[in-house]
């Protein structure tokens, strides 16, 4: 009888753990969607400013989204372009044409000075297309991966 009681307690604990994990993943997904929407609502915030302040930008989010799709076996048919579309809410070229300003010398200097804090996305398969690398916002030729 005690053995059956122990198994019931163990099953209940496993069920609670599974529910807590599912809840955590749902909350993380909610936070990601809110962050993406927040950035979509503020296209005037430049990626270089995000990089300079936080070490990541919209492109980082797209690379992490792509990497997640690969690690979970949920490949995106359009690869990195689909990931960019998901984050930007439009094609990357459309976003650049509508919202991206030319970086100032001050922004570029800050960018160069903050590279140690830039997000590293890990190798993605397939690799992100040139000229981007797995280190955010750095040309592939400039990074030895």
């Amino acid at each position: 009888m005690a053995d059956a009681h122990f198994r019931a307690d163990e099953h209940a604990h496993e069920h609670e753990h599974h529910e807590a994990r599912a809840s955590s993943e749902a909350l993380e997904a909610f936070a990601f969607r809110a962050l993406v929407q927040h950035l979509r609502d503020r296209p005037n915030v430049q990626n270089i400013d995000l990089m300079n302040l936080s070490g990541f930008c919209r492109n980082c989010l797209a690379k992490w989204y792509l990497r997640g799709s690969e690690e979970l076996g949920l490949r995106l048919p359009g690869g990195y372009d689909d990931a960019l579309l998901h984050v930007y809410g439009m094609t990357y070229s459309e976003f650049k044409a509508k919202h991206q300003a030319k970086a100032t010398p001050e922004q570029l200097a800050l960018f160069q000075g903050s590279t140690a804090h830039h997000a590293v996305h890990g190798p993605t398969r397939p690799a992100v297309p040139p000229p981007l690398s797995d280190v955010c916002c750095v040309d592939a030729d400039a990074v030895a991966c």
Side-chain angles (χ1 to χ4, degrees):
M1 181 78 158
D3 191 40
H5 181 68
F6 176 75
R7 283 193 303 256
D9 284 347
E10 187 176 85
H11 179 71
H13 179 71
E14 286 176 16
H15 181 72
E16 288 172 9
H17 178 71
H18 177 72
E19 283 184 358
R21 183 173 175 179
S23 295
S24 178
E25 288 175 1
L27 293 170
E28 290 164 359
F30 182 91
F32 175 79
R33 287 189 302 270
L35 175 60
V36 167
Q37 189 60 53
H38 183 78
L39 291 172
R40 284 183 185 178
D41 292 343
R42 287 152 187 84
N44 60 312
V45 176
Q46 298 296 299
N47 279 336
I48 194 165
D49 292 326
L50 290 170
M51 287 297 296
N52 289 340
L53 292 170
S54 65
F56 82 98
C57 69
R58 293 171 181 90
N59 295 332
C60 295
L61 291 174
K63 289 177 185 179
W64 289 324
Y65 190 82
L66 176 64
R67 186 166 186 202
S69 76
E70 294 163 353
E71 288 186 12
L72 296 173
L74 303 169
R75 291 209 178 258
L76 302 173
Y80 186 55
D81 287 337
D82 279 0
L84 288 167
L85 183 62
H86 183 80
V87 170
Y88 283 95
M90 61 185 76
T91 66
Y92 182 54
S93 58
E94 184 180 359
F95 179 86
K96 283 180 19 177
K98 286 183 174 182
H99 304 292
Q100 189 165 306
K102 183 173 174 59
T104 67
E106 294 82 13
Q107 287 171 314
L108 291 172
L110 280 171
F111 182 84
Q112 291 303 318
S114 66
T115 56
H117 303 290
H118 291 182
V120 177
H121 313 98
T124 53
R125 292 160 204 60
V128 293
L132 296 175
S133 72
D134 289 321
V135 177
C136 196
C137 302
V138 176
D139 289 346
D141 295 340
V143 177
C145 292

